[in-house]
Short mmCIF file of all heavy atoms in Angstrom, two decimals:
data_model
loop_
_atom_site.label_atom_id
_atom_site.label_comp_id
_atom_site.label_asym_id
_atom_site.label_seq_id
_atom_site.Cartn_x
_atom_site.Cartn_y
_atom_site.Cartn_z
N PHE B 48 -206.34 59.61 -110.24
CA PHE B 48 -205.89 58.59 -111.18
C PHE B 48 -204.88 59.20 -112.14
O PHE B 48 -204.89 60.42 -112.38
CB PHE B 48 -207.08 58.04 -111.99
CG PHE B 48 -208.21 57.56 -111.13
CD1 PHE B 48 -209.25 58.40 -110.77
CD2 PHE B 48 -208.24 56.25 -110.68
CE1 PHE B 48 -210.29 57.96 -109.97
CE2 PHE B 48 -209.28 55.79 -109.87
CZ PHE B 48 -210.30 56.65 -109.52
N TRP B 114 -201.89 58.10 -106.08
CA TRP B 114 -201.88 57.05 -107.10
C TRP B 114 -200.43 56.64 -107.28
O TRP B 114 -199.55 57.50 -107.38
CB TRP B 114 -202.44 57.62 -108.39
CG TRP B 114 -202.69 56.68 -109.54
CD1 TRP B 114 -203.89 56.16 -109.91
CD2 TRP B 114 -201.75 56.19 -110.51
NE1 TRP B 114 -203.76 55.38 -111.03
CE2 TRP B 114 -202.44 55.38 -111.43
CE3 TRP B 114 -200.38 56.35 -110.68
CZ2 TRP B 114 -201.82 54.75 -112.49
CZ3 TRP B 114 -199.75 55.72 -111.73
CH2 TRP B 114 -200.47 54.92 -112.63
N TRP B 125 -201.19 36.77 -105.28
CA TRP B 125 -202.23 37.51 -104.56
C TRP B 125 -203.46 36.62 -104.47
O TRP B 125 -204.16 36.41 -105.45
CB TRP B 125 -202.57 38.81 -105.28
CG TRP B 125 -201.54 39.89 -105.10
CD1 TRP B 125 -200.39 39.81 -104.39
CD2 TRP B 125 -201.58 41.20 -105.65
NE1 TRP B 125 -199.69 41.00 -104.45
CE2 TRP B 125 -200.40 41.87 -105.21
CE3 TRP B 125 -202.48 41.89 -106.44
CZ2 TRP B 125 -200.11 43.19 -105.55
CZ3 TRP B 125 -202.21 43.20 -106.80
CH2 TRP B 125 -201.04 43.84 -106.35
N GLU B 128 -208.32 39.97 -102.53
CA GLU B 128 -208.46 41.28 -103.16
C GLU B 128 -207.44 42.24 -102.58
O GLU B 128 -207.31 42.38 -101.36
CB GLU B 128 -209.87 41.82 -102.92
CG GLU B 128 -210.13 43.19 -103.51
CD GLU B 128 -210.37 43.15 -105.01
OE1 GLU B 128 -210.79 42.10 -105.52
OE2 GLU B 128 -210.13 44.18 -105.65
N GLU B 129 -206.70 42.91 -103.44
CA GLU B 129 -205.67 43.85 -103.01
C GLU B 129 -206.11 45.27 -103.33
O GLU B 129 -206.90 45.52 -104.25
CB GLU B 129 -204.35 43.55 -103.72
CG GLU B 129 -203.76 42.19 -103.40
CD GLU B 129 -203.11 42.12 -102.03
OE1 GLU B 129 -202.81 43.20 -101.49
OE2 GLU B 129 -202.90 41.01 -101.52
N ASP B 130 -205.59 46.21 -102.54
CA ASP B 130 -205.87 47.63 -102.78
C ASP B 130 -204.87 48.15 -103.81
O ASP B 130 -203.75 48.51 -103.47
CB ASP B 130 -205.76 48.40 -101.47
CG ASP B 130 -206.16 49.86 -101.63
OD1 ASP B 130 -206.86 50.18 -102.62
OD2 ASP B 130 -205.79 50.68 -100.77
N ILE B 131 -205.27 48.17 -105.07
CA ILE B 131 -204.38 48.58 -106.15
C ILE B 131 -204.61 50.06 -106.44
O ILE B 131 -205.74 50.51 -106.60
CB ILE B 131 -204.65 47.74 -107.41
CG1 ILE B 131 -204.47 46.26 -107.10
CG2 ILE B 131 -203.72 48.16 -108.56
CD1 ILE B 131 -204.91 45.35 -108.22
N ARG B 132 -203.52 50.82 -106.51
CA ARG B 132 -203.61 52.26 -106.68
C ARG B 132 -203.12 52.76 -108.02
O ARG B 132 -203.20 53.95 -108.30
CB ARG B 132 -202.82 52.97 -105.57
CG ARG B 132 -203.39 52.79 -104.18
CD ARG B 132 -204.71 53.50 -104.03
NE ARG B 132 -205.28 53.30 -102.71
CZ ARG B 132 -206.44 53.81 -102.34
NH1 ARG B 132 -207.14 54.52 -103.19
NH2 ARG B 132 -206.91 53.59 -101.13
N GLY B 133 -202.56 51.86 -108.85
CA GLY B 133 -202.02 52.32 -110.12
C GLY B 133 -201.50 51.15 -110.94
O GLY B 133 -201.95 50.02 -110.79
N ASN B 134 -200.55 51.45 -111.82
CA ASN B 134 -200.00 50.41 -112.69
C ASN B 134 -199.35 49.29 -111.87
O ASN B 134 -198.77 49.53 -110.81
CB ASN B 134 -198.94 51.00 -113.62
CG ASN B 134 -199.55 51.87 -114.71
OD1 ASN B 134 -200.75 51.86 -114.93
ND2 ASN B 134 -198.71 52.63 -115.39
N ILE B 135 -199.43 48.07 -112.40
CA ILE B 135 -198.71 46.93 -111.86
C ILE B 135 -197.64 46.56 -112.88
O ILE B 135 -197.95 46.32 -114.05
CB ILE B 135 -199.63 45.74 -111.60
CG1 ILE B 135 -200.69 46.10 -110.55
CG2 ILE B 135 -198.84 44.52 -111.15
CD1 ILE B 135 -201.72 45.02 -110.33
N PHE B 143 -195.97 36.61 -111.55
CA PHE B 143 -196.96 37.25 -110.70
C PHE B 143 -198.30 36.58 -110.95
O PHE B 143 -198.74 36.47 -112.10
CB PHE B 143 -197.04 38.74 -111.02
CG PHE B 143 -198.08 39.49 -110.26
CD1 PHE B 143 -198.21 39.34 -108.89
CD2 PHE B 143 -198.95 40.36 -110.91
CE1 PHE B 143 -199.17 40.03 -108.18
CE2 PHE B 143 -199.90 41.07 -110.21
CZ PHE B 143 -200.02 40.90 -108.85
N PHE B 145 -202.45 36.18 -110.09
CA PHE B 145 -203.72 36.58 -109.49
C PHE B 145 -204.43 35.30 -109.06
O PHE B 145 -204.88 34.53 -109.91
CB PHE B 145 -204.59 37.35 -110.47
CG PHE B 145 -204.16 38.76 -110.74
CD1 PHE B 145 -204.01 39.23 -112.03
CD2 PHE B 145 -203.91 39.62 -109.68
CE1 PHE B 145 -203.62 40.53 -112.27
CE2 PHE B 145 -203.51 40.93 -109.91
CZ PHE B 145 -203.37 41.39 -111.21
N ALA B 147 -207.09 35.45 -106.96
CA ALA B 147 -208.44 35.86 -106.59
C ALA B 147 -208.88 36.97 -107.54
O ALA B 147 -208.05 37.60 -108.20
CB ALA B 147 -208.49 36.34 -105.14
N ASP B 148 -210.19 37.20 -107.61
CA ASP B 148 -210.70 38.26 -108.46
C ASP B 148 -210.05 39.59 -108.10
O ASP B 148 -209.77 39.87 -106.93
CB ASP B 148 -212.22 38.39 -108.30
CG ASP B 148 -212.96 37.17 -108.83
OD1 ASP B 148 -212.31 36.33 -109.49
OD2 ASP B 148 -214.18 37.08 -108.59
N VAL B 149 -209.83 40.42 -109.11
CA VAL B 149 -209.14 41.68 -108.88
C VAL B 149 -209.75 42.76 -109.76
O VAL B 149 -210.21 42.51 -110.88
CB VAL B 149 -207.62 41.53 -109.19
CG1 VAL B 149 -207.39 41.18 -110.66
CG2 VAL B 149 -206.85 42.78 -108.82
N ASN B 150 -209.80 43.97 -109.21
CA ASN B 150 -210.28 45.14 -109.94
C ASN B 150 -209.13 46.09 -110.20
O ASN B 150 -208.50 46.58 -109.25
CB ASN B 150 -211.38 45.85 -109.15
CG ASN B 150 -212.64 45.01 -109.01
OD1 ASN B 150 -213.17 44.51 -110.00
ND2 ASN B 150 -213.12 44.85 -107.79
N ILE B 151 -208.83 46.34 -111.46
CA ILE B 151 -207.79 47.28 -111.83
C ILE B 151 -208.43 48.67 -111.90
O ILE B 151 -209.41 48.86 -112.61
CB ILE B 151 -207.17 46.91 -113.19
CG1 ILE B 151 -206.71 45.44 -113.19
CG2 ILE B 151 -206.02 47.85 -113.53
CD1 ILE B 151 -205.69 45.12 -112.13
N PRO B 152 -207.93 49.66 -111.16
CA PRO B 152 -208.58 50.97 -111.13
C PRO B 152 -208.52 51.68 -112.48
O PRO B 152 -207.75 51.31 -113.37
CB PRO B 152 -207.79 51.73 -110.06
CG PRO B 152 -206.47 51.05 -110.01
CD PRO B 152 -206.72 49.61 -110.31
N LYS B 153 -209.35 52.69 -112.62
CA LYS B 153 -209.38 53.46 -113.86
C LYS B 153 -207.98 53.97 -114.23
O LYS B 153 -207.21 54.35 -113.36
CB LYS B 153 -210.31 54.66 -113.71
CG LYS B 153 -211.77 54.28 -113.55
CD LYS B 153 -212.70 55.45 -113.71
CE LYS B 153 -212.53 56.53 -112.67
NZ LYS B 153 -213.52 57.61 -112.81
N TYR B 154 -207.70 53.93 -115.52
CA TYR B 154 -206.48 54.47 -116.11
C TYR B 154 -205.22 53.65 -115.81
O TYR B 154 -204.15 53.97 -116.29
CB TYR B 154 -206.26 55.93 -115.68
CG TYR B 154 -207.37 56.85 -116.11
CD1 TYR B 154 -208.36 57.24 -115.21
CD2 TYR B 154 -207.44 57.30 -117.41
CE1 TYR B 154 -209.40 58.08 -115.62
CE2 TYR B 154 -208.47 58.13 -117.82
CZ TYR B 154 -209.44 58.52 -116.91
OH TYR B 154 -210.46 59.35 -117.33
N ALA B 155 -205.33 52.60 -115.00
CA ALA B 155 -204.15 51.80 -114.64
C ALA B 155 -204.00 50.63 -115.61
O ALA B 155 -204.97 50.15 -116.19
CB ALA B 155 -204.26 51.30 -113.21
N ARG B 156 -202.76 50.17 -115.75
CA ARG B 156 -202.49 49.04 -116.63
C ARG B 156 -201.59 48.02 -115.94
O ARG B 156 -200.87 48.34 -115.01
CB ARG B 156 -201.81 49.53 -117.92
CG ARG B 156 -202.76 50.23 -118.85
CD ARG B 156 -202.14 50.45 -120.21
NE ARG B 156 -201.21 51.55 -120.22
CZ ARG B 156 -200.59 51.97 -121.32
NH1 ARG B 156 -200.79 51.35 -122.46
NH2 ARG B 156 -199.76 52.98 -121.27
N ILE B 157 -201.67 46.79 -116.44
CA ILE B 157 -200.74 45.74 -116.03
C ILE B 157 -199.66 45.68 -117.11
O ILE B 157 -199.97 45.52 -118.30
CB ILE B 157 -201.44 44.38 -115.89
CG1 ILE B 157 -202.62 44.48 -114.92
CG2 ILE B 157 -200.46 43.32 -115.43
CD1 ILE B 157 -203.50 43.23 -114.89
N ILE B 158 -198.41 45.79 -116.71
CA ILE B 158 -197.30 45.79 -117.65
C ILE B 158 -196.40 44.60 -117.34
O ILE B 158 -195.94 44.44 -116.21
CB ILE B 158 -196.50 47.11 -117.54
CG1 ILE B 158 -197.42 48.29 -117.86
CG2 ILE B 158 -195.29 47.10 -118.46
CD1 ILE B 158 -196.90 49.61 -117.37
N LEU B 165 -197.29 36.91 -116.20
CA LEU B 165 -198.51 37.10 -115.42
C LEU B 165 -199.34 35.85 -115.55
O LEU B 165 -199.65 35.40 -116.66
CB LEU B 165 -199.30 38.31 -115.92
CG LEU B 165 -200.68 38.50 -115.26
CD1 LEU B 165 -200.54 38.79 -113.77
CD2 LEU B 165 -201.47 39.60 -115.95
N ILE B 167 -202.93 33.99 -114.39
CA ILE B 167 -204.28 34.18 -113.84
C ILE B 167 -204.85 32.81 -113.54
O ILE B 167 -205.03 31.98 -114.45
CB ILE B 167 -205.18 34.95 -114.82
CG1 ILE B 167 -204.55 36.31 -115.15
CG2 ILE B 167 -206.57 35.13 -114.24
CD1 ILE B 167 -205.29 37.09 -116.21
N THR B 172 -211.36 36.40 -112.19
CA THR B 172 -211.74 37.46 -113.13
C THR B 172 -210.92 38.70 -112.87
O THR B 172 -210.81 39.15 -111.72
CB THR B 172 -213.23 37.79 -113.01
OG1 THR B 172 -214.01 36.65 -113.37
CG2 THR B 172 -213.62 38.95 -113.90
N VAL B 173 -210.35 39.26 -113.92
CA VAL B 173 -209.64 40.54 -113.85
C VAL B 173 -210.52 41.59 -114.50
O VAL B 173 -210.80 41.52 -115.71
CB VAL B 173 -208.27 40.46 -114.55
CG1 VAL B 173 -207.57 41.82 -114.50
CG2 VAL B 173 -207.40 39.39 -113.91
N ASN B 174 -210.99 42.55 -113.72
CA ASN B 174 -211.85 43.61 -114.21
C ASN B 174 -211.04 44.88 -114.44
O ASN B 174 -210.39 45.38 -113.52
CB ASN B 174 -212.97 43.91 -113.20
CG ASN B 174 -213.96 42.77 -113.09
OD1 ASN B 174 -214.48 42.29 -114.08
ND2 ASN B 174 -214.23 42.35 -111.86
N PHE B 175 -211.10 45.41 -115.64
CA PHE B 175 -210.44 46.67 -115.94
C PHE B 175 -211.42 47.82 -115.69
O PHE B 175 -212.59 47.75 -116.06
CB PHE B 175 -209.97 46.70 -117.39
CG PHE B 175 -208.92 45.67 -117.70
CD1 PHE B 175 -209.17 44.65 -118.60
CD2 PHE B 175 -207.69 45.72 -117.09
CE1 PHE B 175 -208.21 43.70 -118.89
CE2 PHE B 175 -206.71 44.77 -117.37
CZ PHE B 175 -206.97 43.75 -118.27
N GLY B 176 -210.91 48.91 -115.08
CA GLY B 176 -211.79 49.97 -114.62
C GLY B 176 -212.42 50.82 -115.69
O GLY B 176 -213.54 51.28 -115.55
N ASN B 177 -211.69 51.10 -116.78
CA ASN B 177 -212.27 51.88 -117.88
C ASN B 177 -211.48 51.61 -119.15
O ASN B 177 -210.58 50.78 -119.19
CB ASN B 177 -212.33 53.37 -117.55
CG ASN B 177 -210.96 54.03 -117.51
OD1 ASN B 177 -209.92 53.38 -117.64
ND2 ASN B 177 -210.94 55.34 -117.33
N GLY B 178 -211.84 52.33 -120.21
CA GLY B 178 -211.25 52.07 -121.51
C GLY B 178 -209.80 52.44 -121.65
O GLY B 178 -209.15 52.07 -122.63
N TYR B 179 -209.26 53.18 -120.68
CA TYR B 179 -207.84 53.50 -120.70
C TYR B 179 -207.02 52.39 -120.05
O TYR B 179 -205.80 52.41 -120.11
CB TYR B 179 -207.57 54.81 -119.96
CG TYR B 179 -207.98 56.04 -120.75
CD1 TYR B 179 -209.27 56.54 -120.66
CD2 TYR B 179 -207.07 56.69 -121.58
CE1 TYR B 179 -209.64 57.66 -121.38
CE2 TYR B 179 -207.44 57.82 -122.29
CZ TYR B 179 -208.74 58.30 -122.19
OH TYR B 179 -209.10 59.41 -122.89
N CYS B 180 -207.70 51.48 -119.38
CA CYS B 180 -207.00 50.36 -118.75
C CYS B 180 -206.53 49.38 -119.80
O CYS B 180 -206.84 49.50 -120.98
CB CYS B 180 -207.94 49.63 -117.78
SG CYS B 180 -208.19 50.45 -116.22
N GLY B 181 -205.82 48.37 -119.35
CA GLY B 181 -205.43 47.32 -120.27
C GLY B 181 -204.22 46.58 -119.78
O GLY B 181 -203.79 46.73 -118.64
N LEU B 182 -203.68 45.77 -120.70
CA LEU B 182 -202.54 44.94 -120.37
C LEU B 182 -201.51 45.08 -121.48
O LEU B 182 -201.83 44.88 -122.66
CB LEU B 182 -203.02 43.49 -120.22
CG LEU B 182 -202.06 42.50 -119.57
CD1 LEU B 182 -202.84 41.42 -118.84
CD2 LEU B 182 -201.15 41.89 -120.61
N LEU B 196 -211.00 37.95 -118.49
CA LEU B 196 -210.54 39.34 -118.56
C LEU B 196 -211.72 40.16 -119.08
O LEU B 196 -212.26 39.88 -120.15
CB LEU B 196 -209.35 39.48 -119.50
CG LEU B 196 -208.11 38.64 -119.17
CD1 LEU B 196 -207.07 38.77 -120.28
CD2 LEU B 196 -207.50 39.07 -117.85
N THR B 197 -212.13 41.19 -118.33
CA THR B 197 -213.34 41.90 -118.71
C THR B 197 -213.24 43.38 -118.37
O THR B 197 -212.59 43.78 -117.41
CB THR B 197 -214.56 41.29 -118.02
OG1 THR B 197 -215.75 41.96 -118.46
CG2 THR B 197 -214.47 41.42 -116.51
N LEU B 198 -213.93 44.18 -119.18
CA LEU B 198 -214.07 45.60 -118.89
C LEU B 198 -215.19 45.77 -117.87
O LEU B 198 -216.30 45.28 -118.07
CB LEU B 198 -214.40 46.36 -120.17
CG LEU B 198 -214.41 47.89 -120.09
CD1 LEU B 198 -213.04 48.42 -119.74
CD2 LEU B 198 -214.89 48.47 -121.41
N ALA B 199 -214.88 46.44 -116.75
CA ALA B 199 -215.84 46.51 -115.64
C ALA B 199 -217.14 47.18 -116.06
O ALA B 199 -218.22 46.76 -115.70
CB ALA B 199 -215.22 47.24 -114.46
N ASN B 200 -217.04 48.28 -116.84
CA ASN B 200 -218.25 48.99 -117.26
C ASN B 200 -218.51 48.68 -118.73
O ASN B 200 -218.62 49.57 -119.56
CB ASN B 200 -218.11 50.50 -117.04
CG ASN B 200 -216.84 51.06 -117.67
OD1 ASN B 200 -215.92 50.32 -118.02
ND2 ASN B 200 -216.79 52.36 -117.83
N ALA B 208 -210.97 47.66 -123.42
CA ALA B 208 -209.72 47.42 -122.70
C ALA B 208 -208.80 46.63 -123.61
O ALA B 208 -209.13 45.54 -124.06
CB ALA B 208 -209.99 46.64 -121.42
#
Side-chain angles (χ1 to χ4, degrees):
F48 307 91
W114 188 100
W125 283 1
E128 179 77 25
E129 297 284 342
D130 185 19
I131 303 171
R132 293 292 178 180
N134 288 347
I135 298 175
F143 177 48
F145 285 130
D148 293 350
V149 63
N150 294 308
I151 307 301
K153 293 193 297 184
Y154 299 101
R156 286 192 282 183
I157 304 171
I158 300 162
L165 173 64
I167 302 174
T172 296
V173 178
N174 291 310
F175 296 116
N177 70 355
Y179 285 88
C180 282
L182 193 150
L196 301 174
T197 183
L198 187 64
N200 53 344

